[in-house]
Amino acid sequence: MSMEKTTAGKSTKKKPKHYVNNEEFLVALKAYQKKVKDAEAEGKEPPRIPEYIGECIFNIANKLSLRDNFINYPFREEMVYDGIENCIVYLNNFDGEKYDKPFAYFTQIIWYAFLRRIQKEKKQLYIKHKVMEREILAMNLADVQDDDFQIMVK
């Protein structure tokens, strides 16, 4: 979706500003992966993930969580955290020589992390429901048994 700006009879298209620049993100990822390989070759600890890469991953996860698919879940923050965690785990699996779209790669990782979180939460909700159902049945059964006992005593 492009916006047109008119100035003195001339129309120019204004480029939309993206929250993650794919080219800069790719360059930063390649540089980081090179540092990781160099550290591994020297037997050192891998370097810390650069702040720019972290910001990109956070922005992707946060914006994706605002889509209609995910915005109304009460555990949206946990979904974002899971997405970020999965991106960190799979950060070095991105092949910058083969692919040139890290935005798409990490968006897909985050998307599936969101779906896994939703499934976990649904399972937990089902378990809570079953526990509550059993408690109510147990309480009702106890009440019925108390009533029967009182009838027998009389």
Side-chain angles (χ1 to χ4, degrees):
M1 189 175 190
S2 63
M3 304 178 104
E4 291 192 27
K5 210 177 185 183
T6 56
T7 48
K10 296 179 183 178
S11 68
T12 59
K13 289 186 177 180
K14 186 179 177 186
K15 281 188 171 181
K17 184 172 171 145
H18 298 286
Y19 55 94
V20 174
N21 185 328
N22 222 358
E23 290 80 26
E24 290 176 14
F25 192 24
L26 179 63
V27 170
L29 275 172
K30 285 182 178 180
Y32 173 70
Q33 288 176 339
K34 185 179 181 327
K35 288 179 185 178
V36 169
K37 285 180 184 175
D38 292 345
E40 285 176 357
E42 296 173 6
K44 294 181 179 177
E45 291 264 332
R48 185 174 177 198
I49 298 172
E51 193 166 325
Y52 178 73
I53 292 175
E55 286 176 8
C56 288
I57 291 171
F58 177 77
N59 286 337
I60 293 169
N62 205 30
K63 290 282 188 171
L64 189 60
S65 75
L66 296 175
R67 283 189 52 149
D68 291 340
N69 310 41
F70 307 117
I71 195 162
N72 290 325
Y73 285 107
F75 44 86
R76 193 172 62 84
E77 278 186 18
E78 287 87 357
M79 291 166 46
V80 170
Y81 299 147
D82 287 348
I84 292 170
E85 181 182 2
N86 283 328
C87 286
I88 291 170
V89 168
Y90 296 112
L91 187 66
N92 292 322
N93 290 357
F94 178 75
D95 187 358
E97 302 303 318
K98 195 173 180 182
Y99 303 108
D100 62 343
K101 293 186 172 46
F103 180 85
Y105 175 77
F106 289 105
T107 300
Q108 191 170 21
I109 289 173
I110 294 167
W111 181 277
Y112 286 107
F114 285 5
L115 295 181
R116 282 189 298 276
R117 170 54 71 173
I118 292 167
Q119 288 302 317
K120 284 180 190 175
E121 293 292 334
K122 281 184 179 179
K123 188 175 180 180
Q124 281 300 109
L125 189 61
Y126 177 77
I127 291 169
K128 286 178 187 175
H129 174 73
K130 283 297 187 184
V131 167
M132 290 291 290
E133 192 176 75
R134 287 185 181 158
E135 285 296 317
I136 290 170
L137 286 173
M139 287 173 42
N140 288 341
L141 184 61
D143 288 344
V144 168
Q145 288 176 349
D146 284 346
D147 290 343
D148 290 345
F149 180 73
Q150 288 176 0
I151 291 172
M152 289 180 165
V153 172
K154 287 183 179 181

